[in-house]
Amino acid sequence: MANKRALSWSVALRDLKDDRSRRADVREERLRTMAGLRGSAAPSLSAWRGRSGRRYVVGVHDLVEAELAEIGEAVVIAVRRDEAGIAEAVAIAAVGRGARERLHRNWLARARQSGATEMHVHRLAESEEARRAVVTDLAADADLSAA
């Protein structure tokens, strides 16, 4: 006699809905890099999955003023990691032409007070509107976002 499992459609649909809600959390998804290739340094890349399900590729940098001063128009995510290496976004900002100096003073200090040691920089959003949309998608908590 073969083992057959009866599947309840209502249970399956509930599980599918629960799975979607779990996946809706904002999270880092590490990317495979070219670490195994000879003759080239591996770029420090990662990605963040927003609440919308969109993926944003980021460059990973130390949270230092010199690095922040070199950023052009981008979305910047201040990140702290727990003992297991799981990333948590503690502050997110869209950097435009006029906002860099304000970000430099206030945002960096708040990020460090929150325990951030890394900044993840998303440079692929081309307009101010696109950068604000990325911040909205990634900022699960309203306190994370800054202009």
Side-chain angles (χ1 to χ4, degrees), residues 13-29:
L13 290 174
R14 185 193 70 217
D15 291 346
L16 182 62
K17 182 180 174 188
D18 289 343
D19 185 49
R20 280 191 194 134
S21 66
R22 278 193 301 271
R23 283 187 279 140
D25 294 337
V26 173
R27 67 190 180 279
E28 179 190 31
E29 297 177 344

Side-chain angles (χ1 to χ4, degrees), residues 101-122:
E101 189 62 34
R102 184 180 55 214
L103 176 74
H104 199 242
R105 280 184 260 124
N106 301 330
W107 187 85
L108 187 62
R110 283 187 319 169
R112 284 189 178 142
Q113 286 177 337
S114 298
T117 58
E118 300 176 3
M119 71 176 167
H120 295 192
V121 182
H122 175 69

Side-chain angles (χ1 to χ4, degrees), residues 70-76 94-98 100 121-128 131:
E70 296 295 319
I71 293 174
E73 296 176 350
V75 175
V76 183
V95 181
R97 292 190 176 142
R100 188 176 302 122
V121 182
H122 175 69
R123 292 182 173 94
L124 300 176
E126 295 181 0
S127 68
E128 186 67 32
R131 288 187 292 276

Side-chain angles (χ1 to χ4, degrees), residues 37-67:
L37 298 178
R38 289 181 288 196
S40 66
S44 296
L45 297 176
S46 190
W48 283 83
R49 184 75 62 176
R51 289 180 302 192
S52 68
R54 294 194 64 186
R55 185 174 76 163
Y56 305 99
V57 176
V58 296
V60 179
H61 306 274
D62 291 330
L63 188 64
V64 294
E65 288 186 45
E67 292 279 347

